[in-house]
Amino acid sequence: MFSGFMVNAWIVASLAAVVGGAVGFFVVMRGASFVAHAIPNGSFAGAAGAALVGASTLAGLGVFSVGGALGIGLLGRRSRRDVATALTLVFMLGLGALFLSFSAENSEAAYSLLFGEVLGISSNEIGPTLVLSALGLLMLGLLWRPLLLDSVLPGRAPGRRTLAIELAFLLLVAITTTMTVPVVGTTLIFTLMIAPAASARALTARPGLALLLSAAIALMTVWGAIALSYTTNWPVGFFVGSLGACAYALSRVAHWSSGG
Amino acid sequence: MQALLHAIVEPGFFADGAVQIAATLGGVVAVVAGLIGVFTVIRSQAFAGHALSDIGSAGGSSAYLAGVAPLWGFVGISVLAAAAMEQIGVQRARGRDVATGIVLGVGFALASLFLYLGMTYHNSSGEIPTILFGSVFTLSAANLPLVIGLGAVALLTTLTLYRPLLLASVSPELAAARGVHVRVVGAAYLFALAITVALCDLTIGAILSTALLVGPAAAALRLTDRPHRAALLAAGISLACTWLGLLLAWDSFYWPPLRHGWPVSFFIVTLVLAAYLAAGALARGQTKRG
Amino acid sequence: MELAQPPTAPLSDGGAATTDRVLQLAGVTVDLGGRRILDDVSFSLRAGELTGLIGSNGAGKTTLLRVILGLLAPTRGAVTVAGPDPRHSVGYVPQKFMLDPDLPVRARDLVALGIDGHHLGVARPSRERRERVTRMLDAVGAGRFADTRVGRLSGGEQQRVLIAHALISHPRLLLLDEPLANLDLRSAREAVDLLARIAREQRIAVMISAHEMNALLPVMDRVVYLAEGRAACGPADEVVRADVLSRLYGHRVEVIRAGERVLVVAGEGDDAEPSHPHHHDSEER
Ligand SMILES: Nc1ncnc2c1ncn2[C@@H]1O[C@H](COP(=O)(O)OP(=O)(O)OP(=O)(O)O)[C@@H](O)[C@H]1O
Ligand SMILES: [Mg+2]
């Protein structure tokens, strides 16, 4: 389980979990679950497009997740955010369908993109993942206070500043997406961003602690999922999804029993 | 003139049996989605609608695994998921967001497992793109009565609830003061939404399901300030996008690079987005002039 | 007057016939989250009168209105609304009202929903219906923005539309929760005059909640004063008195009259917490 190429999987997955859990804290604070679902899901098109032109999957994912983030941010300025998110998402998925129809992509490959394929992670993905996670954590550190303020009291800052904060947040989700897709697949990244953060929020009222807790729960979820997937051969995404839901259910029980 | 017309509408478009079925089914579904979608947008339930459609894909894949007709899988799981969302907490806006996300996550987890098992034991990977992306051109006429029947149920539910639902969407408190059972009305609407989404999933795929539910309605809401006009306009936009999309897809059989046709969903989604952006520009132009 | 605690000083009842009673509360007690919010509240409202429901933040005004509306069941006590169809003879204008600016509902649509918003199915449009809505909007001075989306109206404008929404179904009782909170002095004055006129002309019992009674003093027939969960009810000059309010609060308060205005402040020589919530009137300037 820890030999050879599995080492790559453990490293990449752990980094992805820490960043995903931390970013997820803001996803839940801002009520942005739909965004956290739409950017990874839509970035599927990027991978399909990359396969079509022969570029690297990571580059395709990166371009499309950043593009999706910008689309949601800019479209959302003038309309309801959930509508902007939905339309950006379906447009990216439509592109994905187009790319898929052009390429002779088989559905096994599509499947591993959608639901993750730990065994497919190679050592040359470690470098980009390291860079991206460093970038993500740096951004989180720099933007901690403005993001927190804007999440608690939305729309207090002047218009342009609010847009900048929103875009920075969307970019964080895009970064997380790009580095996490190879591990858990596009469909279940958002569980990694929502479930641990929602659990953490039920357990503590202190924002800093909630963020750390969220990252820790995400890490445990991913480790558990990889170990289980390795032994059963079932998809990683399945375990990420179910472990995440379990963590959330447990935290709710703890919350109730502590009288909250 | 004749030549131009032929270039736009490839000969044989209206005569082809598959096209006729696709146009009828797609048309019915588009109208239902457009009408129902107005309330989805007003109530800020776009995420719920999309999540239901994605979860429907889990239902579709599990039905496939169990050897049941996919439609019942789609409908059953969507209604179940709607009930779960209602239970976890749709009352508070933020709680609803997380509740929807968690339910969707579980749905996806199951979908991934069922698809995996399907691939392993049935060796049937060809189903995945169909389940995820749907395909109007592969439907048979036998589906028509069922699709129309379920669409009618969804429409009737929404139409029956029209006034209390509108009032509850404006202000739950105001509605409750008038004796409207806000939660019952909300749950009934979620039920209609689940049926609609399941229908869309099966006939046009999960992508288009969200596109037709949200896009035309949001476009219509920018153009008119009357609720019933918005609903009719949304149905019209939705129908126009669907039929135009079908036409373009038919034309694209002769387009590069592969000359085997571009996917319908790509065309419809692009048209929906264009309609939404155009509606925004139009509305802004109106306010500037008016 | 009806006083929650055993009244020590008998106060006049105004002498109205009991048939005019639109609403009667008898011994209403409400516990929420393990706390007693309302304690044995009794009073009645009569047709054609404007009543102020006065109390500081958290005194239980909204809670009391929710009980009257039937949205909240009292722990003990009874609420009786006169008339054949109690539920639909009460109009209500809620306190918090946040609307989406792009909600496709015009002022006139919202008022039309006041006629039959609780009925199933779609309304049949008719000339009569349209004119009835227009007349109602004009009556509350909202005719100008009849065709504007409600979410785009200002707070004060929305309030008028909501009053029209509540009035169009001919209620016998109209409840307004803090309708003056978002209004400037002049608009508040206008709104109060409008409501008083509505009460007189249409023989409706109107109840307005407020944390500040001065805007209501000129038109208020009666006052229901809430403090410490208990209520005192009667004409303003009989309730807003040092002895009555001191008994209500459970410690000494003073009522200071400055010209037209009334101030309720903590009494001198009283060692009970000086920052007690009943100094509410003092900063309203
Ligand atoms: N659902 C609830 N559960 C527990 N306590 C509640 C609930 N609703 C209200 N309360 C409490 O009841 C008290 C009275 O609340 P209410 O909203 O009636 O006050 P109010 O007089 O309307 O105040 P304001 O002037 O601020 O509107 C408050 O202390 C509030 O915290
Ligand atoms: Mg209140």
Side-chain angles (χ1 to χ4, degrees):
Chain A
M1 197 190 283
F2 300 99
S3 63
F5 50 85
M6 276 307 283
V7 173
N8 303 329
W10 285 109
I11 295 174
V12 171
S14 306
L15 288 171
V18 169
V19 177
V23 171
F25 170 75
F26 283 111
V27 170
V28 171
M29 283 284 285
R30 298 171 77 82
S33 304
F34 196 11
V35 168
H37 163 72
I39 291 181
N41 240 29
S43 72
F44 171 77
L52 193 65
V53 299
S56 90
T57 308
L58 210 61
L61 287 173
V63 168
F64 266 69
S65 49
V66 170
L70 288 177
I72 292 172
L74 296 178
L75 258 187
R77 264 190 319 167
R78 284 234 178 77
S79 47
R80 293 158 185 261
R81 193 168 64 170
D82 64 336
V83 168
T85 310
L87 289 178
T88 308
L89 168 61
V90 292
F91 183 63
M92 290 203 287
L93 285 176
L95 278 180
L98 184 67
F99 295 156
L100 268 188
S101 86
F102 285 171
S103 64
E105 189 80 40
N106 62 17
S107 55
E108 301 259 339
Y111 176 83
S112 74
L113 253 181
L114 288 170
F115 298 109
E117 180 64 277
V118 185
L119 301 181
I121 295 172
S122 63
S123 58
N124 53 20
E125 271 172 56
I126 292 185
T129 309
L130 262 176
V131 172
L132 284 175
S133 51
L135 186 65
L137 292 178
L138 188 73
M139 267 180 82
L140 264 183
L142 285 177
L143 293 172
W144 168 250
R145 272 178 302 175
L147 254 179
L148 192 62
L149 181 63
D150 188 67
S151 307
V152 177
L153 298 171
R156 287 299 171 91
R160 196 173 294 162
R161 201 180 142 85
T162 301
L163 180 66
I165 291 173
E166 173 75 7
L167 282 179
F169 164 71
L170 292 169
L171 215 58
L172 271 172
V173 176
I175 290 174
T176 313
T177 297
T178 311
M179 57 189 285
T180 318
V181 164
V183 187
V184 281
T186 56
T187 45
L188 282 146
I189 293 179
F190 85 101
T191 306
L192 202 56
M193 284 195 254
I194 296 171
S199 316
R201 203 174 59 154
L203 294 177
T204 173
R206 287 163 51 189
L209 191 61
L211 183 125
L212 293 179
L213 207 57
S214 170
I217 296 174
L219 201 59
M220 285 190 287
T221 306
V222 166
W223 282 348
I226 292 181
L228 285 168
S229 170
Y230 186 84
T231 40
T232 59
N233 216 11
W234 288 8
V236 186
F238 169 68
F239 291 110
V240 170
S242 6
L243 288 178
C246 287
Y248 180 68
L250 281 178
S251 76
R252 293 310 303 234
V253 170
H255 187 62
W256 278 323
S257 60
S258 69
Chain B
M1 187 66 212
Q2 191 87 21
L4 181 69
L5 202 68
H6 269 202
I8 299 170
V9 184
E10 279 299 330
F13 177 72
F14 294 108
D16 190 280
V19 170
Q20 286 170 354
I21 295 167
T24 318
L25 277 179
V28 170
V29 170
V31 168
V32 174
L35 287 172
I36 302 248
V38 169
F39 280 107
T40 311
V41 175
I42 292 180
R43 296 168 68 80
S44 299
Q45 288 186 333
F47 187 28
H50 171 77
L52 284 174
S53 117
D54 273 349
I55 294 167
S57 70
S61 46
S62 57
Y64 177 78
L65 201 66
V68 190
L71 180 64
W72 295 115
F74 275 113
V75 173
I77 210 96
S78 300
V79 169
L80 236 124
M85 287 176 194
E86 170 69 30
Q87 268 311 308
I88 301 186
V90 234
Q91 300 97 318
R92 290 163 304 140
R94 293 237 164 141
R96 175 170 69 194
D97 190 65
V98 168
T100 310
I102 299 280
V103 174
L104 179 57
V106 174
F108 270 146
L110 292 177
S112 74
L113 183 64
F114 292 141
L115 283 174
Y116 167 79
L117 295 178
M119 280 203 302
T120 316
Y121 300 114
H122 290 244
N123 195 21
S124 58
S125 37
E127 286 291 313
I128 295 173
T130 319
I131 285 172
L132 287 173
F133 300 120
S135 180
V136 205
F137 283 129
T138 58
L139 290 169
S140 77
N143 289 325
L144 200 55
L146 196 57
V147 166
I148 292 181
L150 283 174
V153 168
L155 271 188
L156 274 180
T157 310
T158 310
L159 222 56
T160 308
L161 293 175
Y162 185 81
R163 276 179 285 182
L165 188 59
L166 189 61
L167 190 55
S169 307
V170 176
S171 157
E173 210 182 355
L174 220 49
R178 284 210 164 264
V180 173
H181 297 282
V182 176
R183 282 203 70 170
V184 175
V185 168
Y189 175 68
L190 214 54
F191 167 75
L193 183 62
I195 291 185
T196 311
V197 154
L199 271 185
C200 291
D201 269 354
L202 188 77
T203 47
I204 53 181
I207 304 176
L208 285 183
S209 157
T210 303
L212 289 182
L213 198 66
V214 174
L221 290 180
R222 291 178 145 190
L223 292 177
T224 175
D225 44 16
R226 301 174 199 206
H228 57 276
R229 246 188 227 179
L232 294 178
L233 196 59
I237 295 175
S238 173
L239 190 64
C241 288
T242 306
W243 280 352
L244 202 58
L246 279 173
L247 181 65
L248 287 171
W250 179 263
D251 286 353
S252 73
F253 269 94
Y254 303 94
W255 293 2
L258 296 183
R259 297 189 186 277
H260 67 40
W262 293 22
V264 190
S265 45
F266 169 73
F267 289 114
I268 300 183
V269 161
T270 309
L271 287 169
V272 164
L273 186 65
Y276 177 72
L277 293 176
L282 223 87
R284 269 197 298 287
Q286 265 172 8
T287 44
K288 242 175 235 156
R289 256 180 284 120
Chain C
M1 106 153 221
E2 299 86 359
L3 191 62
Q5 294 306 94
T8 40
L11 294 160
S12 74
D13 200 333
T18 42
T19 48
D20 264 8
R21 282 196 183 167
V22 173
L23 170 78
Q24 182 135 27
L25 267 74
V28 167
T29 300
V30 175
D31 296 330
L32 280 178
R35 240 179 67 218
R36 181 142 297 185
I37 309 295
L38 295 175
D39 187 5
D40 197 19
V41 172
S42 305
F43 63 86
S44 59
L45 299 184
R46 298 189 197 90
E49 281 190 352
L50 191 143
T51 308
L53 175 61
I54 311 297
S56 43
N57 292 131
K61 302 182 292 292
T62 303
T63 306
L64 182 61
L65 293 179
R66 288 174 61 80
V67 169
I68 297 174
L69 281 163
L71 297 179
L72 187 70
T75 315
R76 244 185 295 118
V79 177
T80 324
V81 180
D85 183 11
R87 187 100 220 208
H88 298 122
S89 51
V90 184
Y92 175 49
V93 178
Q95 174 175 16
K96 279 178 247 157
F97 209 77
M98 272 180 296
L99 286 173
D100 238 312
D102 53 346
L103 201 68
V105 173
R106 297 166 300 165
R108 88 169 43 255
D109 296 320
L110 184 55
V111 175
L113 281 174
I115 302 176
D116 51 13
H118 50 283
H119 287 224
L120 297 182
V122 182
R124 242 181 313 129
S126 76
R127 174 93 158 267
E128 244 175 85
R129 193 181 154 84
R130 206 185 137 74
E131 277 168 4
R132 183 171 161 200
V133 168
T134 308
R135 250 180 290 131
M136 192 70 242
L137 279 164
D138 286 337
V140 298
R144 256 183 320 117
F145 31 84
D147 290 304
T148 313
R149 297 188 194 218
V150 268
R152 295 192 182 154
L153 297 175
S154 81
E157 291 166 345
Q158 279 182 11
Q159 199 125 67
R160 280 168 188 264
V161 175
L162 285 171
I163 292 173
H165 165 94
L167 278 181
I168 199 161
S169 55
H170 301 303
R172 297 162 53 81
L173 172 63
L174 177 62
L175 306 173
L176 300 102
D177 199 358
E178 301 263 7
L180 309 180
N182 291 321
L183 303 185
D184 58 46
L185 271 181
R186 219 191 79 198
S187 309
R189 175 96 225 174
E190 278 173 20
V192 164
D193 287 346
L194 172 72
L195 289 166
R197 218 183 64 225
I198 288 168
R200 311 268 131 75
E201 287 174 3
Q202 306 193 19
R203 301 284 303 154
I204 293 175
V206 176
M207 186 175 215
I208 301 177
S209 90
H211 53 263
E212 211 277 341
M213 74 180 101
N214 281 308
L216 292 174
L217 272 179
V219 294
M220 189 158 65
D221 297 299
R222 283 147 60 86
V223 54
V224 173
Y225 200 109
L226 284 183
E228 310 291 322
R230 294 177 301 230
C233 173
D237 49 346
E238 291 181 16
V239 171
V240 189
R241 286 193 339 213
D243 56 335
V244 176
L245 293 188
S246 295
R247 203 159 56 238
L248 198 61
Y249 279 111
H251 54 88
R252 231 167 75 78
V253 297
E254 276 176 22
V255 174
I256 302 169
R257 288 176 195 274
E260 297 256 281
R261 302 181 60 82
V262 175
L263 242 68
V264 179
V265 294
E268 291 294 318
D270 186 272
D271 53 11
E273 317 92 285
S275 65
H276 220 269
H278 61 261
H279 67 268
H280 56 273
D281 278 358
S282 46
E283 292 102 6
E284 298 294 329
R285 279 294 123 109

